[in-house]
Amino acid sequence: MPGPRTGLRPASFGAAPAGERLARMRRSPQFADGQFRNPVPTRPLPRGTALSLARTQLSREGRLRRAPVGAVPLHRPAASDWARPPASGLRLTWMGHSSVLAEIDGRRVLFDPVWGERCSPFTWAGPRRLHPVPVGLDALPPLDAVVVSHDHYDHLDMPTVRRLARTDAVFVVPLGIGADLEFWGVPAARIIELDWHESADVASLTLTATPAQHFCGRGLRGPQHTLWASWVVAGPEHRVYHSGDTGYFPGFAEIGAAHGPFDATMIQIGAYSEFWSDIHMTPEEGLRAHQDLGGGTLLPIHWGTFNLAPHPWAEPAERTVAAAYAAGAKVAVPVPGKPFEPADEQVVEPWWRTVAVPPVHGWPSWPPARGTAPSAAPRTASPAN
């Protein structure tokens, strides 16, 4: 396994794809002019936004609202939780941010595992956790597959990968990310790299890389980039969808038609901004994606663990639940670490309110009335992954 640095380059930057791996990337229909492309053209950050971004970042009131004011409630699973199989055959455990353990038809898949203290290439700088991980990696049950959506630090964490490299799990990732995994000690035989619309069978599950509208970026990449993806996991009886990071685009309906309907969807609903609306969804867009996909139960992800945008810390959950109630959609918002079965009735308790700064006009009545339009809260801006 490599040391902490190669020359002046931190090991956390990963490794650039080369050889046949790079050649395969260049053959991809998604690859053009030295990089991967989104299914729909995305707009760059508009010029002249730096001052607006700085003002938002430096706002004292905004900073107070972007973090919890107390200890985030957690559920710490015990070995007995894993020993009891899900009655329905499908159980999900949100560990925080985009990390989710899916127990599906007798198999276990861990999505976007980030157990590190910071989502950063450095241990001394970068966004820090707002709550502890509910369960240590060593306390997880045996995994069949580890799935990564893309190479940003809040989705691909070197310390976590190095720990999981000691297990027997197969890593299933988008094109190019295998170079990072091998560099960090994952055996090549346990790495499967897929292009969009490609599938692999792992332990009686079929894992399919599906399009997403985002981007890549890790360290000082050259002109070659890695692919990003959303994921479909289908078992003999159940199927789930994990969005990774993405903007809203027509591809959700296409994915739903090709691979759905889904018993559960795990959808990114945090770190949104009007300045990068093409690559991150708002909560209302996340619900729309869930509906396009033909989702059963919506699990909101990509919120609550890291401060990556200046919207209030609790706003993603509030807006998602309000939108779901208005649409009559089924939504689950468990505390980090709390397993739940999507087939069960979901009773949403607004636990985040106990540790969040209340809105200026107070919390809305709970639960929101069905048919009530969700709050039209303004979207704010800050660089996010």
Side-chain angles (χ1 to χ4, degrees), residues 291-306:
Q291 294 173 313
D292 289 352
L293 289 159
T297 298
L298 165 62
L299 172 63
I301 61 172
H302 203 269
W303 77 281
T305 303
F306 298 106

Side-chain angles (χ1 to χ4, degrees), residues 81-340:
D81 291 327
W82 313 124
R84 176 182 54 83
S88 65
L90 175 64
R91 183 166 58 202
L92 302 178
T93 306
W94 179 55
M95 301 295 181
H97 201 56
S98 295
S99 302
V100 182
L101 175 63
E103 299 171 88
I104 176 170
D105 298 339
R107 303 299 182 179
R108 298 187 181 98
V109 179
L110 185 59
F111 293 95
D112 282 358
V114 174
W115 261 245
E117 184 65 20
R118 296 181 186 271
C119 55
S120 165
F122 310 109
T123 60
W124 46 268
R128 193 169 190 171
R129 282 189 166 275
L130 300 174
H131 66 79
V133 181
V135 58
L137 286 174
D138 293 339
L140 289 176
L143 303 173
D144 294 287
V146 174
V147 173
V148 176
S149 63
H150 63 296
D151 70 358
H152 287 152
Y153 293 99
D154 58 322
H155 297 260
L156 179 62
D157 180 54
M158 181 187 72
T160 304
V161 169
R162 284 179 162 174
R163 295 276 300 280
L164 292 173
R166 306 171 197 163
T167 71
D168 295 326
V170 175
F171 285 73
V172 187
V173 299
L175 293 180
I177 290 180
D180 295 327
L181 302 185
E182 282 193 61
F183 184 63
W184 296 331
V186 180
R190 291 195 2 242
I191 300 172
I192 298 174
E193 294 177 77
L194 298 179
D195 200 347
W196 292 345
H197 310 297
E198 291 183 342
S199 299
D201 293 330
V202 178
S204 77
L205 300 175
T206 299
L207 292 82
T208 304
T210 46
Q213 190 164 288
H214 200 54
F215 67 108
C216 67
R218 191 177 190 94
L220 304 175
R221 295 285 192 200
Q224 290 79 32
H225 299 274
T226 60
L227 186 59
W228 48 95
S230 58
W231 289 93
V232 171
V233 176
E237 302 294 334
H238 296 87
R239 55 186 59 219
V240 299
Y241 172 86
H242 189 284
S243 71
D245 281 0
T246 181
Y248 180 82
F249 71 114
F252 293 116
E254 297 169 4
I255 294 168
H259 302 284
F262 297 98
D263 298 281
T265 67
M266 297 157 268
I267 303 288
Q268 170 261 306
I269 52 88
Y272 43 84
S273 164
E274 62 184 343
F275 290 98
W276 51 77
S277 58
D278 286 354
I279 56 170
H280 276 281
M281 292 189 290
T282 65
E284 295 77 23
E285 289 170 329
L287 174 67
R288 184 179 173 190
H290 167 78
Q291 294 173 313
D292 289 352
L293 289 159
T297 298
L298 165 62
L299 172 63
I301 61 172
H302 203 269
W303 77 281
T305 303
F306 298 106
N307 183 353
L308 301 177
H311 55 63
W313 175 75
E315 184 180 276
E318 284 285 332
R319 288 175 59 177
T320 299
V321 176
Y325 271 72
K330 191 176 180 181
V331 62
V333 193
V335 300
K338 181 70 172 178
F340 75 96

